[in-house]
Amino acid sequence: MKEYRTISQIAGPLVFVEKTEPIGYQELVNIVLSDGTEKRGQVLDTSDDIVVVQVFESTTGIGKDSGVRFTGETIKMPVGKDMLGRILSGAGKPKDGGPEIVPEKRLEITGAAINPWARASPRQFIQTGISTIDLTNTLVRGQKLPIFSGAGLPHNEIALQIARQAKVPGSDEEFAVVFAAMGITKEEENQFMAEFERTGALEHAVVFLNLADDPAVERIITPRLALTTAEYLAFELGYHVLVILTDMTNYCEALRQIGAAREEVPGRRGYPGYMYTDLASLYERAGIIKGKKGSVTQLSILTMPGDDITHPIPDLSGYITEGQIVVNRDLHRKGIYPPINVLPSLSRLMNLGIGKGFTREDHKKVSDQLYAGYAEGMDLRGLVAIVGKDALSERDRGFLDFADNFEKRFVRQGKDEDRTIEDSLDLGWDLLKDMAEEQLGRIDRETIQKYHPKYRKKAE
């Protein structure tokens, strides 16, 4: 293996090497310091004149006299069924005190987007136990659905709750969770580890934890390691895998940091112009492949800087993914958990996984009616701030009360409360029973007579 001592520049996590032979993109690199210690890196850019190496650790100690060795290999993830129940670092190394992973295979972490022709249409309902997701913004197998949150909001708690409660009702198929946290604090790491061990969810999970003080370059490879693991479990072992990625904002900040070190021309708000393509290379690895038993479903969590949904990170994510779940600060201030606002939230594949044979035949109608009633109640709150509640008609006061009850009884639930879809539907009907039947314009008469509490009691 040749060793080059032609380092011309060191900028942040990047090392620039001149006068090399042809070098492959994403090739692994060993950098030998003057004291004999080694640091690892990866080729980020290659040309006839210069090779840019991103270093996985701190560049402290690397000088122009350091030696650079190109290995001719790319990063591979060691995978095997024994990975379930393990906690790994953001670089894929054991973090739980256990032994190194004995691999059944070593797979390229870059992966590939699923061929559109080979994709099967997502159909099967995934129950998270959270009413505002299951009933009004349903997650289906093979979907990619991000959670848009803000700094200080309980998105991590929501992610943990979904990780331990997610299941396909009535199915005995093998289900696994791959959880990847990027740029988290030590306190958050302890919270995640304690929660997984407390609830026993770790038994069917693989956890990757990248800390805030870990190198930014490691943050780039963490979601790729997680998705490679998910694809192996899904498409080779037949598991149905739910991948939870948090926080994609930290991932994008690492992209921006590396782009600045490379002196690239920045795009919107300083983020690289290729950020859309980069995010798509992660999001598009979710799905179902025809003829394969397993599936990869993706929930990515991102904190919107300044709660701005037009910020480049949520904006670009929304173009790629199939909807969004929006965590609301006003609901959080009211002490409501989980503070999910159903009005701006959307699941574009919801209709494929609900209804007779999937959840229940009244699902879509109840969801639409709850949404319509809550939207009208929210509009009336704005009117009350101007004219006062006494100026409202009896009908309008009813919708105002409905909005309050919807938040207190339907949106609010315990952190360990695992509602079935039947529980959520019955709770929705319990809220709708206080409205006059002529106001239930989104539900047909036949469905009302079958499921409305008034008629169900008579039938019993």
Side-chain angles (χ1 to χ4, degrees):
M1 189 183 298
K2 286 187 178 180
E3 182 174 298
Y4 297 89
R5 293 183 180 270
T6 55
I7 294 176
S8 62
Q9 183 184 353
I10 301 163
L14 304 183
V15 172
F16 296 79
V17 187
E18 295 179 336
K19 302 173 184 174
T20 66
E21 294 181 11
I23 301 297
Y25 176 63
Q26 293 190 337
E27 196 170 311
L28 282 172
V29 180
N30 292 329
I31 300 174
V32 185
L33 277 58
S34 56
D35 61 0
T37 59
E38 288 192 4
K39 296 195 175 189
R40 286 168 62 80
Q42 182 184 25
V43 174
L44 185 66
D45 196 4
T46 178
S47 68
D48 293 337
D49 302 319
I50 201 159
V51 174
V52 183
V53 177
Q54 55 183 7
V55 184
F56 296 142
E57 308 152 64
S58 166
T59 52
T60 303
I62 298 176
K64 292 189 176 181
D65 59 340
S66 299
V68 180
R69 299 172 182 168
F70 298 97
T71 65
E73 297 182 352
T74 56
I75 299 179
K76 291 183 172 65
M77 179 69 196
V79 292
K81 191 169 184 178
D82 292 342
M83 295 179 72
L84 290 170
R86 299 299 302 273
I87 298 176
L88 309 173
S89 71
K93 301 295 182 184
K95 203 178 179 73
D96 52 8
E100 290 283 338
I101 295 167
V102 179
E104 295 169 20
K105 282 191 175 183
R106 302 179 72 87
L107 301 177
E108 295 272 359
I109 68 165
T110 48
I114 300 171
N115 186 323
W117 183 87
R119 280 184 182 272
S121 178
R123 295 287 294 172
Q124 204 156 12
F125 162 67
I126 293 178
Q127 181 176 288
T128 66
I130 298 174
S131 294
T132 43
I133 297 177
D134 292 347
L135 182 55
T136 55
N137 298 284
T138 309
L139 177 66
V140 297
R141 233 179 223 174
Q143 185 174 6
K144 43 192 182 288
L145 187 65
I147 296 177
F148 291 178
S149 185
L153 296 179
H155 43 269
N156 287 336
E157 288 84 349
I158 295 171
L160 284 167
Q161 186 170 358
I162 293 171
R164 66 175 178 267
Q165 293 180 179
K167 64 180 75 70
V168 175
S171 172
D172 58 356
E173 295 171 301
E174 293 188 288
F175 194 87
V177 174
V178 174
F179 188 97
M182 295 161 279
I184 60 171
T185 63
K186 188 69 179 176
E187 182 182 356
E188 288 173 323
E189 179 197 24
N190 293 336
Q191 177 192 357
F192 286 140
M193 292 179 72
E195 187 68 14
F196 272 110
E197 290 166 2
R198 177 185 74 83
T199 60
L202 190 59
E203 291 179 17
H204 64 272
V206 185
V207 180
F208 294 83
L209 298 176
N210 165 267
L211 301 186
D213 58 352
D214 289 331
V217 174
E218 184 180 292
R219 214 155 295 147
I220 301 298
I221 66 171
T222 300
R224 290 175 169 81
L225 295 173
L227 288 164
T228 301
T229 302
E231 288 166 348
Y232 174 76
L233 292 172
F235 303 132
E236 299 203 27
L237 299 185
Y239 280 82
H240 293 285
V241 185
L242 174 63
V243 181
I244 299 175
L245 305 175
T246 179
D247 178 344
M248 292 304 294
T249 299
N250 293 333
Y251 172 84
C252 292
E253 291 296 339
L255 276 184
R256 180 161 69 172
Q257 181 180 339
I258 292 170
R262 291 177 67 185
E263 298 182 357
E264 295 171 337
V265 177
R268 289 169 58 193
R269 303 203 191 183
Y271 292 96
Y274 54 80
M275 188 166 75
Y276 177 87
T277 307
D278 193 281
L279 287 172
S281 73
L282 299 179
Y283 293 142
E284 292 295 348
R285 291 174 73 174
I288 304 170
I289 298 177
K290 293 174 185 174
K292 298 281 187 179
K293 186 181 175 185
S295 65
V296 176
T297 307
Q298 200 179 108
L299 270 178
S300 53
I301 297 170
L302 58 92
T303 51
M304 301 177 290
D307 291 356
D308 180 11
I309 203 168
T310 66
H311 186 276
I313 302 172
D315 188 36
L316 295 177
S317 294
Y319 282 115
I320 305 164
T321 54
E322 291 134 358
Q324 69 277 333
I325 304 294
V326 180
V327 181
N328 182 266
R329 196 170 297 278
D330 290 336
L331 290 173
H332 181 59
R333 289 195 187 106
K334 292 179 182 179
I336 293 173
Y337 174 88
I340 293 172
N341 186 356
V342 301
L343 298 182
S345 298
L346 171 69
S347 172
R348 293 190 180 96
L349 303 186
M350 172 176 171
N351 292 342
L352 297 176
I354 65 172
K356 193 171 184 179
F358 295 100
T359 54
R360 210 168 75 183
E361 59 184 331
D362 58 329
H363 187 149
K364 174 65 174 169
K365 295 160 189 173
V366 172
S367 174
D368 288 349
Q369 190 63 64
L370 289 172
Y371 186 98
Y374 184 54
E376 187 156 355
M378 289 293 288
D379 286 342
L380 288 165
R381 283 179 180 175
L383 185 60
V384 166
I386 301 170
V387 302
K389 192 172 181 178
D390 292 338
L392 299 181
S393 66
E394 186 177 341
R395 174 191 177 279
D396 288 348
R397 281 197 292 271
F399 277 106
L400 201 61
D401 292 339
F402 176 83
D404 292 337
N405 288 330
F406 181 82
E407 291 176 354
K408 291 173 184 174
R409 297 178 56 200
F410 186 85
V411 178
R412 174 183 274 142
Q413 62 183 94
K415 292 183 180 180
D416 290 312
E417 186 179 355
D418 187 0
R419 294 178 184 167
T420 65
I421 186 60
E422 289 78 14
D423 292 338
S424 296
L425 284 164
D426 291 344
L427 179 55
W429 276 111
D430 200 45
L431 289 169
L432 294 174
K433 75 178 182 184
D434 296 328
M435 296 171 63
E437 287 185 33
E438 58 268 18
Q439 292 173 351
L440 304 179
R442 304 297 180 99
I443 307 177
D444 61 81
R445 187 70 192 162
E446 183 182 347
T447 304
I448 290 174
Q449 290 185 328
K450 185 173 181 180
Y451 291 103
H452 195 291
K454 181 173 72 172
Y455 298 105
R456 290 179 75 173
K457 283 179 183 178
K458 287 180 181 177
E460 291 169 1

